[in-house]
Amino acid sequence: MATDTSGPDDPADEREVMGAVDGDGGSQEYVIADISEDGAWLSVHVDDAPALPAWR
């Protein structure tokens, strides 16, 4: 896993992060991606992803 290298010249508020469920119906993954940075994403099997109420 990469180390977070953001700093004063790279403020986090300029990031655009999105989440989505992706898959072919047989196997679905919950993907979180920083769409402002190439290769900045992670995924977890949808059954292992926390439910939205748990994040509140």
Side-chain angles (χ1 to χ4, degrees), residues 28-31 42-50:
Q28 294 187 323
E29 298 284 321
Y30 180 66
V31 181
L42 61 90
S43 67
V44 63
H45 191 271
V46 75
D47 292 336
D48 297 327

Side-chain angles (χ1 to χ4, degrees), residues 1-16:
M1 182 175 276
T3 303
D4 181 8
T5 59
S6 63
D9 296 332
D10 190 17
D13 60 350
E14 292 181 13
R15 301 289 185 185
E16 190 167 354

Side-chain angles (χ1 to χ4, degrees), residues 22-42:
D22 186 29
D24 59 9
S27 176
Q28 294 187 323
E29 298 284 321
Y30 180 66
V31 181
I32 300 173
D34 178 349
I35 63 171
S36 62
E37 184 73 30
D38 288 340
W41 61 274
L42 61 90

